[in-house]
Amino acid sequence: LMGAVANMAPEKFAGIIAAVPFVDVLTTMLDDTLPLTPPEWPEWGNPLESAEEYQWIAAYSPYDNVGNKPYPPILALSGLTDPRVTYWEPTKWVAKLREKTTGEAPILLKTNMAAGHGGKSGRFQRLEEIAFEYAFALKVAGKDAV
């Protein structure tokens, strides 16, 4: 969702936190060797069997629709061992955003090398991640001193 809205209306946001974002939808849904792709076809559509569903996915797929425009500050978070949203999706999305943006806002990527889809385990490790996200949100909202 956050990848799609970043493309559709970047000017509406002071910043975007994209936690384990499913942003390369078209490539993922075209790869029937990924274990989670075939079960997801009923929800997302099967671009291998339907040209119409291919066009639907291509129309909103965040990675495929990054444009030459100013993007707001973005923090993309991924987990190295995430089986649902592979770490390379947000990585290549951030690279394309950095290449295409016409603005000066930071576009950041944080890959947790010891976590999967749900972030770090353990109460204090999870709180550390939440604090990091809050710090980013406060910074981009103009609240440097809290």
Side-chain angles (χ1 to χ4, degrees), residues 12-81:
K12 302 269 186 201
F13 299 91
I16 291 175
I17 298 173
V20 293
F22 182 34
V23 288
D24 192 11
V25 182
L26 191 55
T27 300
T28 298
M29 298 313 290
L30 284 167
D31 188 349
D32 63 357
T33 67
L34 294 172
L36 295 177
T37 294
E40 295 288 343
W41 284 332
E43 180 179 352
W44 296 92
N46 183 343
L48 293 171
E49 294 185 2
S50 169
E52 182 180 26
E53 291 175 7
Y54 179 99
Q55 292 303 322
W56 290 345
I57 295 169
Y60 72 79
S61 178
Y63 177 77
D64 296 295
N65 288 286
V66 170
N68 295 315
K69 61 181 101 179
Y71 283 89
I74 294 175
L75 172 60
L77 304 165
S78 68
L80 184 65
T81 60

Side-chain angles (χ1 to χ4, degrees), residues 70-146:
Y71 283 89
I74 294 175
L75 172 60
L77 304 165
S78 68
L80 184 65
T81 60
D82 187 343
R84 296 181 194 155
V85 177
T86 51
Y87 71 89
W88 55 81
E89 282 197 39
T91 302
K92 68 188 242 184
W93 179 59
V94 164
K96 192 169 187 180
L97 285 165
R98 289 175 178 171
E99 175 188 326
K100 297 275 190 171
T101 189
T102 59
E104 298 295 322
I107 299 173
L108 308 173
L109 172 68
K110 182 177 182 186
T111 302
N112 188 323
M113 304 304 277
H117 195 70
K120 290 182 181 178
S121 61
R123 180 175 63 177
F124 294 113
Q125 291 82 2
R126 182 67 189 129
L127 291 173
E128 181 182 282
E129 288 184 333
I130 292 168
F132 183 80
E133 292 175 34
Y134 281 16
F136 175 82
L138 289 168
K139 177 71 175 173
V140 301
K143 308 294 183 195
D144 290 335
V146 177

